[in-house]
Amino acid sequence: MGKNKIEGALPRHIAIIMDGNGRWAKKRLMPRSVGHKHGVDRMEGLLDKSFEMGISYVTLYALSTENLKRPEAELEGLYDLIRKRFVDAMRKICKKGVRLRILGDVTMLPKDVQEILRQAEEETACYDGNGKGLNIALCYGARAEIVRAANIAAEKGEKLTEEGLSALLYTSDIPDPDLIIRTGGEMRLSNFLLYQAAYAELYFSAKMFPDFSDDDLEEAVAEFARRTRRFGKTDEQCNTEKRTGTGQ
Ligand code: IPE
Ligand code: IPE
Ligand code: MG
């Protein structure tokens, strides 16, 4: 462990909104694409750190459905980065027994990118049941995800319940995130995991994503461990449950 002492429960599932690559580059008078490259490097380091710390699931917001409205040149650069760097980085991490899942409507990506992502996912299918997952949200939008789920239910004539809807989301076999971290200084979810985030702890960092260090991640987790999650109950109820090992 680094300088942050973590006392208390670790989050089982961390989700990160990796924001600020463009501004990081702009500040250094460099093109946005350079910021995205540094972002992928940092992403790799943070994933290593997360699994090393004992986090079971990590979900990264890499590209939103709304990001698809960005200039074609930036998107082409991002697709090239997926081809040349991103997928290899994922493979390296997943070799340690981590199941890779892509969350989102990948049909919006170029065909060859879809194929390499599909292959990378398939290679890790053998790790199902290990209880360790890396999820990459690509061409992801939470509203679109919920609408898609509702339509699947409607086609089957199924009346939705909370569990039924969860089971139709991209995250069906992944526990809800306990901690959502957003870098880049903005304090919003930008259409990320809106349904799954119902009881997630939110942590906002002013640092641009390429500057978000392993120590910063530890600090976010330490802050999570200091918080009280009540899930609607009173402190007294939570304390009794903690003492007796009951409740959620
Ligand atoms: C996040 O960084 C990465 C993607 C959305 C692909 P941004 O590209 O949004 O960086 P800023 O917010 O413009 O600095
Ligand atoms: C959120 O960042 C999406 C990702 C990090 C992939 P944005 O940069 O797209 O968010 P907004 O537009 O500032 O809300
Ligand atoms: Mg941004």
Side-chain angles (χ1 to χ4, degrees):
M1 282 290 154
K3 63 181 182 191
N4 301 292
K5 195 155 180 270
I6 299 166
E7 280 172 6
L10 271 183
R12 188 168 167 216
H13 179 180
I14 290 185
I16 307 178
I17 302 174
M18 307 184 291
D19 194 22
N21 293 345
R23 280 165 286 162
W24 183 92
K26 193 174 174 193
K27 200 174 149 202
R28 290 161 179 78
L29 307 175
M30 292 191 289
R32 294 176 62 83
S33 59
V34 177
H36 292 313
K37 274 196 198 91
H38 281 266
V40 174
D41 290 343
R42 193 71 290 268
M43 180 184 80
E44 208 178 333
L46 287 171
L47 285 172
D48 269 335
K49 178 72 185 171
S50 307
F51 290 115
E52 188 192 298
M53 284 169 80
I55 310 291
S56 303
Y57 298 90
V58 182
T59 300
L60 302 176
Y61 202 6
L63 193 72
S64 71
T65 43
E66 288 74 19
N67 290 150
L68 298 173
K69 294 178 205 143
R70 289 195 179 183
E72 202 51 45
E74 177 162 351
L75 290 174
E76 277 308 323
L78 285 169
Y79 301 150
D80 231 30
L81 200 57
I82 297 177
R83 291 183 186 104
K84 296 189 178 132
R85 273 283 288 113
F86 188 87
V87 173
D88 282 342
M90 296 303 109
R91 278 206 171 93
K92 222 160 94 193
I93 310 261
C94 288
K95 274 214 172 86
K96 297 168 192 162
V98 178
R99 173 72 156 113
L100 175 69
R101 281 197 190 284
I102 308 295
L103 319 177
D105 182 4
V106 286
T107 62
M108 293 175 175
L109 294 170
K111 282 263 166 355
D112 69 307
V113 175
Q114 290 181 39
E115 183 51 26
I116 49 174
L117 291 169
R118 193 195 58 75
Q119 266 179 28
E121 242 184 326
E122 206 175 282
E123 283 165 25
T124 68
C126 54
Y127 301 134
D128 263 346
N130 270 9
K132 282 212 259 179
L134 166 57
N135 315 301
I136 309 293
L138 267 174
C139 302
Y140 174 88
R143 286 184 170 179
E145 179 187 35
I146 295 166
V147 168
R148 172 181 169 272
N151 283 332
I152 297 172
E155 275 162 29
K156 291 197 280 189
E158 184 185 325
K159 188 164 181 272
L160 281 172
T161 58
E162 289 188 12
E163 292 74 24
L165 177 53
S166 285
L168 293 172
L169 299 177
Y170 292 120
T171 49
S172 59
D173 50 1
I174 303 160
D176 284 344
D178 301 294
L179 171 63
I180 297 182
I181 298 170
R182 181 174 186 141
T183 63
E186 312 297 354
M187 297 192 193
R188 54 179 172 252
L189 289 176
S190 301
N191 206 9
F192 187 46
L193 301 177
L194 298 184
Y195 192 79
Q196 300 89 332
Y199 268 100
E201 294 296 323
L202 307 180
Y203 183 92
F204 299 101
S205 166
K207 288 204 179 171
M208 299 300 131
F209 185 70
D211 287 333
F212 192 75
S213 67
D214 287 3
D215 275 349
D216 293 327
L217 176 70
E218 270 195 358
E219 174 47 35
V221 171
E223 160 72 22
F224 171 88
R226 287 192 291 270
R227 293 191 191 171
T228 306
R229 301 180 85 191
R230 296 189 193 82
F231 298 99
K233 298 181 184 170
T234 64
D235 269 335
E236 288 70 23
Q237 284 175 300
C238 296
N239 290 336
T240 310
E241 285 173 359
K242 220 189 239 170
R243 233 184 13 255
T244 56
T246 54
Q248 54 164 316

